[in-house]
Amino acid sequence: MLEIKDLRAAIDGKEILKGITLSVKPGEVHAVMGPNGSGKSTLASVLAGRETFEVTGGSVSYLGEDLLELPAEDRARKGIFLGFQYPVEIPGVSMVNFMKTAINEQRKFKGMDPISASDFLKLMREKKEIVEITSSLTNRSVNEGFSGGEKKKNEIFQMAMLEPKLAILDETDSGLDIDALRIVANGVNKLRNKDNATIVITHYQRLLDHIVPDHVHVLYKGRIVKSSGKELALELEEKGYDWLKEEN
Amino acid sequence: MTPIELQEELTSLYTQHADTIAKSSSETINNRRVKAMEDFVRLGIPSKKTEEYRYTNLMPYLKGEYTYELAPARFSVDLNDLFRCDIPTLDTNIVLALNGFFYEKNQIDRLPEGVIISSLAKASLEYPELVNQHYSRYADTSLDSLAALNTLFAQDGIFIYVPKNVVLDKPIQIINVGFSLQNLRITRRNLFVAEAGSQASILICDHTLCKSSFITNSLTEVYVGENARLDIVRMQNENDKSSLINNSFIYQAANSHLSSNTISLHGGLIRNNVFTKLDGKGANNETYGLFFCKEDQHVASFTHIHHAKPNCTSDQLFKGVLDDNATGAFNGKILVDKYASKTLAYQRNHNILLSKQAKMNTKPQLEIYNDDVKCSHGATVGQINEEALFYLRSRGIARKEAHHLLMYAFADEVISKISLEPLRERMNDMVEKRLRGELSHCENCAIQHN
């Protein structure tokens, strides 16, 4: 599904990703862990198409296509979803209008007619249940005045609405209390199937108690320094990241 | 052409036609011309040296060859047939003004007893005392030379009178039309009087009906009596070769409420001056504005809110979006008298620049002579929020559509303050069309901007 080969990316001339190679197959969950500043969020941003980062080398193929050639909106329409570490507040744009526009843009891209009002409402209702989100949240402006937990739930709600093939969740656990963490993780698990894949970016192991990964990768100074099964996460929890600094 | 040359041209235009102008008007209107002439001669056409017009260079817009009409133009077409304003759930009393004059074929519905919607010239003859009591009592011609110029040339416009305790359910819709085969200078003078305890809402649409260039000098005086409520919505939608100078002088008595929303969609130069005096305890004023400008347009908002009595509140919000080489200015002043304790006065001005060349000057001012007040002001000039843009795009929304959503959200804060729902919806619609670059004309309405 996703083949990242020797990916390099820089911001303001400073190289952050220094050659990343990673392969994700349908049905898999990959966890990318690593200390602060190792390039985790940069990897997520580059995959989602944020232009502030300049790709300086390597390639990314997604469903057989050159992902790096596509603008952010086309990547989303083709099934890539980025769960933001810091979801943006957009006063004046209602959640309903936002989701309706997003869904219809996706449908237009697939050559489908816009969704009917009743189907849309039904879809909203259905997906809200997955993340235990209250009606009042979807009546408000996008993320405006949402608590940290509500913002993260809202990310998973959007993911549920858009049904991506590849979801990249950037530190979705940061700032969540244990209940919100459970709800968010449950949401992700409910959306898992054999055809889609998830990349979970996290600093801590605790999210991985709920979302069990098939592969764990450790990112350090812009490179994947270790890849293994889920037991690697436990090892990291125990040993911290200091050993990395000694080895690399 | 220099400001002085233009001033001379205009004074000689007046002198040349003074007799005709006087003959068409009542004593009330004529009586105010002497002082207006003195003020105009003394103040001159505003130049860069005039503090209030420092960021609005009028000369490029006001010079050129223009004709002037001393009597209402006559056309074979009936403007009533051209206007079928279809704000679906909004039934309005439509009043047309053609080139500044009350349109002779206006078909005004039956009004509640005592309510007057009429030509100002005619009203000043029919109700001399009433008009004399208000006409040119609020417009201080020594404050603005273009207000002086308006008073000098004033012949006609719309007069609205709502008697004590009368509530007008049906909004009044004034449609100002510029229609001329030659470039034309227009003087337009309105007077709205809402007596104590009355309520009314007025929608004013400014249009040009052809491609000629118009320079309109418009002045509206508004009296809001005790406990009266008046809501005014303006939609400025002239062609981009035209200039509109729009002065409003508002007087509010105790516990009165006035809201004004000015939405500027198209026009070459738009200058909105609002002078408000809160002259009775507990008066409440809301002055809002929203503008979009592009190419070489200039839109300027100037406000002067004078808190003269205690316990009054005022709230101002002005927002602007500027593209291409457009320039804009906001100059807002809150003046709190020493007697005006317990004043609450707020002012905000936010602008978005969409191009590197667009320019916005903003100058919020507070002048306070009382200790017991709450006042605040804030101004920002920024770009579109790139983070928000990326967030929307990451959900599959195309850049153009995402941009549109953000612009619309920016505008919504002002539009949502329009209290009359059908009007608010219509303005939403017009702004939406403006943002999409479609022709900003109402459905079924033959008026099109260029």
Side-chain angles (χ1 to χ4, degrees):
Chain A
M1 178 181 258
L2 185 74
E3 291 290 339
I4 306 174
K5 278 188 191 144
D6 195 31
L7 180 65
R8 291 164 185 272
I11 187 164
D12 299 331
K14 192 182 170 223
E15 195 167 62
I16 310 282
L17 301 183
K18 297 171 183 166
I20 289 194
T21 299
L22 180 69
S23 169
V24 179
K25 293 186 182 64
E28 289 181 344
V29 174
H30 288 245
V32 176
M33 302 181 72
N36 290 329
S38 57
K40 302 189 297 290
S41 287
T42 302
L43 175 63
S45 290
V46 169
L47 293 178
R50 195 192 283 267
E51 287 106 346
T52 42
F53 295 96
E54 190 198 344
V55 174
T56 49
S59 67
V60 181
S61 136
Y62 168 70
L63 299 173
E65 231 183 314
D66 182 359
L67 186 72
L68 301 175
E69 284 294 307
L70 301 173
E73 50 266 46
D74 282 355
R75 298 184 195 193
R77 292 160 179 173
K78 286 175 186 277
I80 289 186
F81 178 88
L82 173 64
F84 281 61
Q85 182 178 4
Y86 304 108
V88 186
E89 296 197 14
I90 314 180
V93 177
S94 72
M95 271 307 296
V96 172
N97 196 12
F98 169 44
M99 277 294 98
K100 204 177 206 167
T101 309
I103 290 214
N104 282 336
E105 289 262 316
Q106 200 182 48
R107 289 172 71 100
K108 193 166 86 185
F109 190 73
K110 291 178 185 161
M112 292 159 76
D113 286 335
I115 191 166
S116 75
S118 62
D119 284 352
F120 179 73
L121 287 176
K122 210 176 116 195
L123 189 67
M124 288 270 284
R125 225 178 6 246
E126 229 173 79
K127 305 297 184 182
K128 273 194 280 196
E129 278 173 24
I130 294 179
V131 280
E132 300 171 40
I133 204 167
T134 56
S135 279
S136 64
L137 281 189
T138 50
N139 290 334
R140 283 156 55 182
S141 288
V142 178
N143 293 321
E144 193 189 20
F146 285 26
S147 70
E150 286 168 342
K151 280 181 184 167
K152 295 299 173 73
K153 277 202 240 172
N154 192 22
E155 293 295 290
I156 307 303
F157 166 69
Q158 292 169 43
M159 175 178 156
M161 290 290 285
L162 297 168
E163 297 181 335
K165 292 195 183 81
L166 175 66
I168 304 156
L169 305 177
D170 188 8
E171 306 243 1
T172 299
D173 52 337
S174 67
L176 289 187
D177 61 34
I178 197 73
D179 291 327
L181 185 74
R182 181 188 50 78
I183 292 169
V184 163
N186 275 348
V188 174
N189 287 331
K190 280 183 204 165
L191 297 169
R192 276 177 80 168
N193 62 41
K194 64 175 176 36
D195 299 318
N196 63 23
T198 312
I199 299 175
V200 180
I201 291 172
T202 182
H203 190 78
Y204 302 104
Q205 188 268 337
R206 62 173 194 168
L207 178 65
L208 304 179
D209 287 340
H210 301 275
I211 305 171
V212 182
D214 302 300
H215 303 275
V216 177
H217 311 276
V218 180
L219 198 59
Y220 184 63
K221 287 188 177 170
R223 285 192 188 90
I224 289 176
V225 293
K226 198 162 184 174
S227 292
S228 187
K230 63 183 174 200
E231 64 286 350
L232 179 59
L234 292 167
E235 196 184 329
L236 284 171
E237 183 76 2
E238 200 179 307
K239 292 170 35 183
Y241 290 111
D242 282 347
W243 60 273
L244 277 174
K245 293 168 191 167
E246 286 153 28
E247 282 183 20
N248 294 276
Chain B
M1 190 184 246
T2 66
I4 291 172
E5 282 164 356
L6 179 61
Q7 184 188 9
E8 280 167 1
E9 187 191 311
L10 292 169
T11 44
S12 81
L13 179 71
Y14 174 73
T15 321
Q16 200 184 326
H17 299 292
D19 286 348
T20 319
I21 291 172
K23 260 182 228 163
S24 76
S25 310
S26 68
E27 214 182 312
T28 300
I29 295 176
N30 287 331
N31 280 345
R32 310 295 204 277
R33 297 195 209 276
V34 179
K35 181 170 185 296
M37 180 61 122
E38 283 170 19
D39 286 334
F40 181 64
V41 168
R42 184 172 49 82
L43 296 165
I45 297 287
S47 70
K48 280 183 195 161
K49 287 174 196 151
T50 317
E51 184 57 31
E52 287 77 12
Y53 284 83
R54 216 170 124 192
Y55 301 113
T56 302
N57 187 9
L58 291 173
M59 284 313 293
Y61 299 95
L62 298 190
K63 64 185 181 193
E65 290 282 313
Y66 286 84
T67 52
Y68 195 83
E69 288 174 355
L70 295 157
R74 288 200 159 76
F75 294 99
S76 52
V77 287
D78 187 341
L79 289 180
N80 289 294
D81 294 335
L82 285 178
F83 293 92
R84 289 281 172 270
C85 192
D86 79 326
I87 302 184
T89 43
L90 186 72
D91 187 12
T92 60
N93 239 319
I94 293 183
V95 193
L96 293 158
L98 174 61
N99 298 341
F101 294 89
F102 186 86
Y103 185 52
E104 53 178 0
K105 291 177 193 160
N106 266 323
Q107 302 162 349
I108 292 159
D109 297 350
R110 240 180 74 94
L111 296 164
E113 206 183 325
V115 176
I116 304 167
I117 301 178
S118 152
S119 139
L120 177 68
K122 201 169 144 222
S124 69
L125 291 168
E126 281 178 24
Y127 317 96
E129 275 177 34
L130 179 61
V131 174
N132 191 40
Q133 194 188 332
H134 296 285
Y135 180 79
S136 219
R137 302 289 175 188
Y138 317 115
D140 185 345
T141 53
S142 68
L143 289 178
D144 186 279
S145 75
L146 297 164
L149 184 66
N150 181 285
T151 307
L152 182 63
F153 277 92
Q155 282 177 283
D156 199 13
I158 311 286
F159 174 67
I160 294 174
Y161 179 77
V162 189
K164 206 172 166 181
N165 296 330
V166 169
V167 176
L168 271 185
D169 294 327
K170 218 178 187 183
I172 298 165
Q173 184 178 10
I174 296 174
I175 304 176
N176 291 312
V177 181
F179 193 18
S180 166
L181 298 176
Q182 289 162 302
N183 293 348
L184 185 70
R185 244 180 241 289
I186 294 173
T187 301
R188 188 164 68 214
R189 180 73 174 221
N190 301 322
L191 175 61
F192 305 155
V193 177
E195 293 282 20
S198 69
Q199 283 184 32
S201 45
I202 302 171
L203 167 64
I204 306 171
C205 306
D206 295 326
H207 289 289
T208 45
L209 208 49
C210 46
K211 290 180 180 176
S212 307
S213 164
F214 296 87
I215 298 175
T216 303
N217 182 328
S218 171
L219 193 157
T220 302
E221 288 181 282
V222 181
Y223 171 88
V224 195
E226 266 187 53
N227 293 306
R229 182 190 170 101
L230 193 60
D231 296 297
I232 299 175
V233 179
R234 272 178 185 279
M235 190 191 65
Q236 301 176 320
N237 201 19
E238 298 196 335
N239 72 37
D240 291 345
K241 282 189 283 182
S242 292
S243 304
L244 176 62
I245 313 281
N246 179 42
N247 267 297
S248 299
F249 288 87
I250 292 158
Y251 179 93
Q252 290 187 243
N255 299 314
S256 64
H257 171 90
L258 178 117
S259 79
S260 127
N261 259 280
T262 303
I263 316 281
S264 312
L265 299 174
H266 285 282
L269 164 87
I270 300 175
R271 166 91 188 187
N272 290 311
N273 296 335
V274 186
F275 297 88
T276 302
K277 188 172 187 184
L278 302 175
D279 206 18
K281 269 188 186 177
N284 171 240
N285 177 278
E286 294 170 344
T287 304
Y288 304 124
L290 171 69
F291 71 85
F292 300 92
C293 59
K294 57 179 183 172
E295 289 159 11
D296 295 313
Q297 272 180 270
H298 178 82
V299 180
S301 309
F302 176 92
T303 66
H304 185 280
I305 312 266
H306 180 185
H307 281 257
K309 294 282 154 65
N311 297 87
C312 292
T313 53
S314 68
D315 185 31
Q316 297 176 64
L317 172 64
F318 283 82
K319 289 186 134 184
V321 178
L322 301 97
D323 203 352
D324 306 326
N325 294 311
T327 53
F330 173 77
N331 192 333
K333 191 179 201 174
I334 299 169
L335 168 65
V336 182
D337 248 75
K338 64 176 173 181
Y339 308 106
S341 49
K342 308 276 182 212
T343 288
L344 295 177
Y346 307 105
Q347 183 192 81
R348 286 188 297 143
N349 173 235
H350 300 298
N351 307 283
I352 291 184
L353 303 180
L354 297 178
S355 73
K356 284 206 169 85
Q357 295 75 33
K359 200 172 165 185
M360 180 73 199
N361 287 295
T362 173
K363 189 180 172 194
Q365 290 169 277
L366 293 177
E367 204 176 314
I368 302 170
Y369 299 98
N370 185 300
D371 295 333
D372 188 14
V373 300
K374 252 189 206 167
C375 295
S376 73
H377 63 185
T380 58
V381 180
Q383 279 94 38
I384 197 150
N385 183 347
E386 286 293 333
E387 280 296 300
L389 198 62
F390 178 69
Y391 190 73
L392 295 171
R393 289 176 61 217
S394 79
R395 302 299 183 246
I397 300 171
R399 179 184 279 277
K400 201 177 161 200
E401 189 64 29
H403 195 273
H404 175 81
L405 271 176
L406 293 177
M407 285 294 96
Y408 188 71
F410 179 76
D412 184 63
E413 197 188 354
V414 175
I415 300 168
S416 65
K417 289 186 185 290
I418 297 174
S419 49
L420 222 61
E421 203 195 337
L423 267 190
R424 189 169 61 238
E425 278 172 16
R426 174 43 51 107
M427 286 303 145
N428 254 327
D429 202 40
M430 295 293 286
V431 167
E432 173 116 30
K433 278 186 182 163
R434 168 67 179 81
L435 287 172
R436 289 192 186 281
E438 293 166 14
L439 287 176
S440 273
H441 64 90
C442 311
E443 300 282 318
N444 297 344
C445 179
I447 292 181
Q448 301 197 0
H449 85 94
N450 289 292

